[in-house]
Every structure is written in structure tokens, then in C-alpha cells.
Amino acid sequence: MADYTEDKVLDARGLLCPMPIVKAGKEIRSLDEGQILKIIATDRGAIADFPAWADDTDNELLEWSEESDGSLVFFIRKGED
């Protein structure tokens, strides 16, 4: 896993679909182009949801991983508005 420096962190643990995506959309709008949003989620649907959402919104999913506690961590770089 690469070492990214996030500009903002969204803790979406315990939230079920579609709330992690809804909250991520709100948070990423507050960032400038090129900044990175780190999202921590527990909903297994996020594994498919975040790559699709990033693609649909012209943002870039840099990487995602599953932590030892079962949390899913996503790094998304904001694209052009």
C-alpha cells in the first residue's frame, strides 16, 4: 500500500449503503482539485460502490485496503469540478 497524505478523513464506519457514498460526495465537494479524501467504512458494499462512484464523478480511486479489524480504507483524489 502506498503512503498517501489525506487532506480530509471521513469516518463512515457503521453506515450502510448509500450513506457512505452520500457523505463522501458531500466531503469531496469541500476539497480542491487534487486533494485526497480518506474514507473508512465497514459496509462491504463499499468495495464495489466507491470505485464505481469515483469513476462516475471523475474522481480517482488511488487505492483501497481492508484493515485487520475489518474496516475498509479508501483513498480518493478529487478530480476536476
Side-chain angles (χ1 to χ4, degrees):
M1 183 168 175
D3 191 20
Y4 296 105
T5 302
E6 65 273 4
D7 296 288
K8 195 168 226 184
V9 176
L10 170 62
D11 185 350
R13 289 177 283 199
L15 299 178
L16 299 177
C17 185
M19 291 314 296
I21 294 291
V22 170
K23 290 190 175 283
K26 180 179 177 184
E27 292 298 327
I28 208 150
R29 283 191 294 275
S30 72
L31 298 178
D32 292 328
E33 180 181 334
Q35 288 188 306
I36 296 174
L37 175 63
K38 176 182 179 180
I39 304 156
I40 306 166
T42 49
D43 180 6
R44 304 287 303 166
I47 295 170
D49 291 346
F50 277 111
W53 172 77
D55 189 50
D56 287 348
T57 58
D58 294 324
N59 295 300
E60 179 184 3
L61 175 63
L62 299 171
E63 189 169 306
W64 76 272
S65 64
E66 185 169 357
E67 303 297 304
S68 60
D69 68 356
S71 294
L72 305 166
V73 179
F74 299 86
F75 290 91
I76 298 179
R77 182 183 324 237
K78 183 172 181 177
E80 295 181 25
D81 285 329

